[in-house]
Amino acid sequence: MPLKIYQSLWATELRRPGTPERPVTERFERVKAAGFDGMAIDLGAMDIEAARGTVPEFTRTGLAGLLTAFPRSIEELRPALHLAKDIGSPFVVVIGQVMPLSVAEMVPVIEAWIRIGREEGVPLQFETHRNCITNDMFATLLLLDAIPGMRLAADLSHFVVDREMMLPISPEYQAHVTRLLERSDSFQGRIANRCQVQLPLHFPQHRPWIEVFRDWWRRGFASWQARNPAEADCVFLCELGPRDYAITDVDGEELSDRWEEALLLRRWAQEDWQQAATLRIADPV
């Protein structure tokens, strides 16, 4: 059961305000040279035409692809699925921009996207993400009850902020997170607290939150290992968002190095993956 670790295209460098981005070719080469297994393309950060321009880079570098889509209608998902097949994405992460107010109205939207995924032969995972159809943890839990075939991509940083979770995490929230992890088929690395979605990882005051998230990753990995065959690949995405996600100083500079933190997240994920096998035996999820 290998753990495949991807880096996000938008998080491949720390960029000072007003300075140009590195060319896409250099960013692919940097990710490949660092030993990541794949590159993730986010259609919230670039339009689909620009994303299509990255297709040759996957062939050139041999990096695996992963796609995150932000469909604003039911049918808008379909072109993203075509692009996903072009870059070899094993599934598509959906951050759905169709957002009915009630769970009853959300259900047919999710079911329609799942149906399109089946028609196109691309599995879907719905990310636990703010400002989308899974914006709220409680509504997402109700969606899981209503739609047995709904699978998740777990970025739990969003729900920590969404519910303003406090330390220690309450038994009720731990139980909710366990339910989410049991339906999660991939995982994303970012550390949050109740007020900030992306914490600098080297600040000592953030260590308790790092331990919370690493415990969740171990439990999520253990659950994944228990329900998947030995030859299956589990995807972990080092998902550190661009400047607006991070804490910045008076000059707009990020307080940590996003690239170095991605390498640290990768190491932690590899350690937690190995520990998850023991957890699976001693403490089933």
Side-chain angles (χ1 to χ4, degrees):
M1 285 186 173
L3 180 68
K4 300 293 187 181
I5 301 184
Y6 289 58
Q7 171 70 315
S8 176
L9 180 66
W10 69 354
T12 51
E13 61 184 326
L14 176 65
R15 187 161 55 91
R16 294 180 179 276
T19 60
E21 293 182 347
R22 295 187 186 200
V24 167
T25 54
E26 291 184 18
R27 295 158 80 180
F28 269 80
E29 289 164 1
R30 191 182 198 196
V31 169
K32 177 68 173 180
F36 285 94
D37 297 296
M39 180 79 91
I41 302 298
D42 191 314
L43 295 181
M46 64 194 315
D47 64 39
I48 196 164
E49 290 305 318
R52 287 193 181 103
T54 68
V55 173
E57 296 302 315
F58 289 98
T59 302
R60 183 178 67 85
T61 60
L63 287 169
L66 184 65
L67 188 74
T68 298
F70 287 71
R72 293 164 295 183
S73 69
I74 301 302
E75 277 298 320
E76 193 177 66
L77 179 61
R78 204 177 294 273
L81 301 186
H82 297 166
L83 174 60
K85 288 186 273 191
D86 290 340
I87 67 172
S89 185
F91 53 85
V92 166
V93 176
V94 177
I95 299 176
Q97 300 298 288
V98 180
M99 295 179 272
L101 291 178
S102 72
V103 171
E105 293 173 300
M106 294 177 192
V107 169
V109 174
I110 296 288
E111 290 178 333
W113 277 326
I114 291 174
R115 183 174 62 253
I116 288 176
R118 288 184 184 135
E119 290 171 1
E120 296 292 342
V122 180
L124 304 183
Q125 297 177 18
F126 294 86
E127 185 174 335
T128 55
H129 198 289
R130 294 167 298 158
N131 191 33
C132 73
I133 197 167
T134 56
N135 180 79
D136 178 71
M137 173 191 272
F138 289 180
T140 301
L141 291 168
L142 293 174
L143 284 170
L144 295 180
D145 289 338
I147 309 172
M150 183 180 180
R151 309 303 299 179
L152 300 178
D155 181 351
L156 297 173
S157 62
H158 291 279
F159 282 174
V160 168
V161 176
D162 162 51
R163 285 286 142 189
E164 291 199 20
M165 294 185 194
M166 299 180 68
L167 293 176
I169 304 297
S170 70
E172 291 79 13
Y173 277 131
Q174 288 284 21
H176 294 329
V177 168
T178 294
R179 288 184 58 201
L180 296 171
L181 293 173
E182 288 172 343
R183 296 284 286 273
S184 294
D185 288 341
S186 69
F187 306 87
Q188 297 185 16
R190 176 164 45 219
I191 308 296
N193 65 15
R194 64 192 298 259
C195 300
Q196 173 65 39
V197 75
Q198 186 167 300
L199 299 175
L201 301 182
H202 62 286
F203 289 9
Q205 66 267 32
H206 299 154
R207 288 175 188 158
W209 283 104
I210 291 171
E211 289 308 309
V212 166
F213 274 81
R214 292 192 65 181
D215 176 68
W216 285 341
W217 296 341
R218 287 189 290 269
R219 291 177 175 275
F221 291 160
S223 173
W224 191 97
Q225 291 170 3
R227 53 189 158 80
N228 283 279
E231 66 275 12
D233 294 337
C234 181
V235 170
F236 182 92
L237 172 61
C238 297
E239 177 69 343
L240 296 176
R243 190 169 303 277
D244 288 347
Y245 276 73
I247 299 176
T248 55
D249 65 15
V250 67
D251 298 315
E253 298 285 352
E254 295 182 46
L255 300 183
S256 57
D257 185 319
R258 199 186 313 145
W259 175 256
E260 291 300 323
E261 290 193 333
L263 298 177
L264 180 58
L265 288 169
R266 180 177 64 178
R267 176 165 64 81
W268 286 347
Q270 290 167 334
E271 294 171 353
D272 294 338
W273 178 258
Q274 295 301 320
Q275 294 175 20
T278 301
L279 176 65
R280 183 176 50 169
I281 297 170
D283 186 13
V285 179

